Amino acid sequence: MSKLGVMGRVAGWSCVAIGAVQLVAGTRAEPGMNTDATVDSHVRFMGSAFVAYGLGWVEAAASPTPNLPRMRVLSGLMALGGASRLVTRATVGRPHRFHDLLLGVELAAPVVVEVLGRLDRPAR
């Protein structure tokens, strides 16, 4: 299995697991979250979307030759989420420090996909 395929599967199943936890636990899934009904409803809804997003990663990585264009789109979406976290920092303030880790992963995703995609490319 290619390095890109492994990365895509790890990313995908991680997203599925995180989304499932959010779906089941709601605001209790993450430190620092408010526990009102509106936020809980939003977290559970987004959990289901994150499960679907994760399945997109798994599908893109499933074949012996992973779908690099699709993985680029998925990693770009992840980076867009990271950029959105930066907007929160600029407009509302710094969230719980756990989100620093998430921000790093999200902004690094496109770089990791590109590097692994180039490493997996057959020699010409």
Side-chain angles (χ1 to χ4, degrees):
M1 181 183 311
S2 71
K3 291 175 182 77
L4 186 61
V6 170
M7 179 263 166
R9 286 184 173 128
V10 169
W13 289 118
S14 296
C15 292
V16 168
I18 292 165
V21 168
Q22 291 174 329
L23 194 68
V24 172
T27 55
R28 295 170 297 166
E30 272 184 58
M33 284 216 162
N34 296 332
T35 57
D36 67 59
T38 301
V39 175
D40 189 78
S41 173
H42 181 73
V43 168
R44 290 177 196 267
F45 174 83
M46 293 310 297
S48 65
F50 211 53
V51 168
Y53 173 74
L55 292 174
W57 273 102
V58 171
E59 192 276 330
S63 69
T65 305
N67 188 329
L68 182 56
R70 186 170 302 153
M71 292 177 84
R72 285 177 172 146
V73 169
L74 292 165
S75 67
L77 289 169
M78 190 175 286
L80 181 60
S84 299
R85 289 186 194 278
L86 293 174
V87 171
T88 295
R89 285 172 182 251
T91 59
V92 181
R94 185 176 181 202
H96 188 277
R97 66 180 181 252
F98 173 68
H99 290 246
D100 294 342
L101 171 68
L102 298 175
L103 175 63
V105 169
E106 292 157 355
L107 294 179
V111 174
V112 172
V113 166
E114 280 305 310
V115 167
L116 294 178
R118 290 170 193 246
L119 289 173
D120 283 350
R121 204 178 284 160
R124 293 180 190 181

